[in-house]
Amino acid sequence: MSWFEHLFLPHHTNNQRAKLLHPSSWTLIILAFVAFQLVLGRASRSLPQILGYASQIPPAEIIRLTNVERQSLGLNPLKEDAQLDQAAAAKAADMFARDYWAHISPIGTQPWAFITAAGYIYRYAGENLARDFSDPNSVVQAWMNSPSHRENLLSDRYTDIGVAVADGTLQGRDTTLVVQMFGTRLSINPAPQTQGTFTVQAADQIPTPTYVLLPTPTPVMAAQVTPVVSPFNLTKYLSFAIIGIILLVLIVDIVVVSRRKVDRWTSKSLAHVIFLTILLIAVLITLRGQIL
């Protein structure tokens, strides 16, 4: 038990502070975590069938959950449109090919260009984007928690929807992109102007694009790859496990020292609590998905 006490409990061999709470131990943990990430990244590229970023996000489920939110408020459900699906897939492919995370591409291509290139002539159009999510519920919930994305998702101006989910490498990081396109086709009596929004804020007047989209590589769709383990989930679980163990050891350390009435400068314990809190917040921010 001596090694256990030395590592996890206040003891005379560790100056009455669990060795795991010493700065040298924290340095080793951080270095080991960084090394784990490097090995994980290399392994995921070498063994994508085992370690891959194919998330469990069926496009049909994104559409279903979107309509559940709409119908809960008495709005008409959106109808899946094959051309909007195609436009969403093309937008995802373009983001991977040009390595950007934005509504407008580095060469100025707007979302509406993908919609019109797919043959969908719209009166109204909109787009929601998400990345780094692992399930459809969290994607739709994140959009619902954002006022601008929620307005897009619940707008009564739209009648059609298209969704694409694609896996690839974006800005040096393996990820999953979810692209949600909304639209209403131009009627027989066309409106005098074309409108579109990214997340439905102010409806700017945007002319129908006339430029031609450059061909882009087809991304690996999530349905085509079924890895055994997700590196994203491994990183998340490992991060929470490390923080949980350190927090537990810190609590035990404080309790044991208090009961033994060990005379020790306790401000270090407060510093540990503050550090763990900051670390936990950083992990939550890093590992949560992003929307745009």
Side-chain angles (χ1 to χ4, degrees):
M1 288 289 291
S2 59
W3 68 269
F4 181 86
E5 291 178 338
H6 180 74
L7 189 61
F8 296 105
L9 298 173
H11 197 256
H12 69 273
T13 62
N14 53 33
N15 197 27
Q16 297 300 330
R17 182 179 298 278
K19 183 63 177 178
L20 193 65
L21 300 179
H22 287 211
S24 58
S25 298
W26 287 41
T27 301
L28 288 176
I29 292 173
I30 293 173
L31 291 176
F33 185 81
V34 171
F36 172 79
Q37 288 298 298
L38 293 175
V39 172
L40 191 63
R42 185 177 295 274
S44 65
R45 288 188 289 272
S46 302
L47 302 169
Q49 70 277 17
I50 298 176
L51 288 162
Y53 281 82
S55 59
Q56 302 300 314
I57 307 180
E61 184 64 8
I62 294 289
I63 295 173
R64 187 190 73 81
L65 292 172
T66 296
N67 282 329
V68 166
E69 296 291 350
R70 291 176 64 87
Q71 289 176 304
S72 67
L73 297 177
L75 299 170
N76 292 328
L78 300 174
K79 180 181 66 176
E80 183 175 9
D81 186 274
Q83 291 178 327
L84 288 181
D85 285 339
Q86 180 183 344
K91 175 59 180 287
D94 194 64
M95 282 194 286
F96 281 131
R98 303 189 191 280
D99 198 30
Y100 69 95
W101 168 243
H103 288 291
I104 300 176
S105 80
I107 63 170
T109 306
Q110 300 188 51
W112 334 124
F114 299 98
I115 294 176
T116 55
Y120 188 99
I121 308 303
Y122 65 88
R123 180 180 182 185
Y124 299 108
E127 176 185 77
N128 281 345
L129 302 177
R131 62 178 292 185
D132 301 332
F133 288 91
S134 58
D135 66 274
N137 288 284
S138 58
V139 174
V140 175
Q141 192 57 53
W143 283 333
M144 287 294 293
N145 291 338
S146 166
S148 56
H149 294 83
R150 176 188 172 91
E151 186 176 353
N152 226 6
L153 195 139
L154 299 179
S155 175
D156 59 1
R157 295 185 298 179
Y158 300 133
T159 58
D160 303 319
I161 187 174
V163 174
V165 180
D167 300 313
T169 301
L170 187 67
Q171 298 173 338
R173 177 178 176 181
D174 292 328
T175 188
T176 295
L177 292 179
V178 181
V179 180
Q180 185 180 50
M181 295 284 197
F182 303 93
T184 298
R185 290 185 181 275
L186 194 63
S187 61
I188 298 176
N189 298 317
Q193 62 188 30
T194 303
Q195 295 183 354
T197 58
F198 299 147
T199 52
V200 183
Q201 296 173 359
D204 300 324
Q205 297 182 11
I206 302 177
T208 302
T210 57
Y211 43 81
V212 179
L213 296 179
L214 297 177
T216 55
T218 302
V220 178
M221 302 307 291
Q224 294 177 316
V225 181
T226 309
V228 177
V229 181
S230 167
F232 180 80
N233 287 335
L234 280 179
T235 300
K236 178 172 65 175
Y237 299 146
L238 179 61
S239 300
F240 288 142
I242 292 174
I243 292 176
I245 291 172
I246 295 177
L247 184 60
L248 179 61
V249 172
L250 178 60
I251 293 174
V252 171
D253 180 83
I254 294 174
V255 171
V256 171
V257 168
S258 176
R259 288 186 175 181
R260 292 179 181 175
K261 300 185 183 302
V262 176
D263 187 15
R264 193 179 70 181
W265 186 35
T266 58
S267 63
K268 288 187 177 181
S269 296
L270 178 59
H272 282 111
V273 172
I274 295 174
F275 180 81
L276 280 175
T277 302
I278 295 174
L279 185 61
L280 180 60
I281 293 173
V283 168
L284 291 174
I285 292 175
T286 301
L287 296 180
R288 71 179 182 179
Q290 302 176 43
I291 59 176
L292 190 64

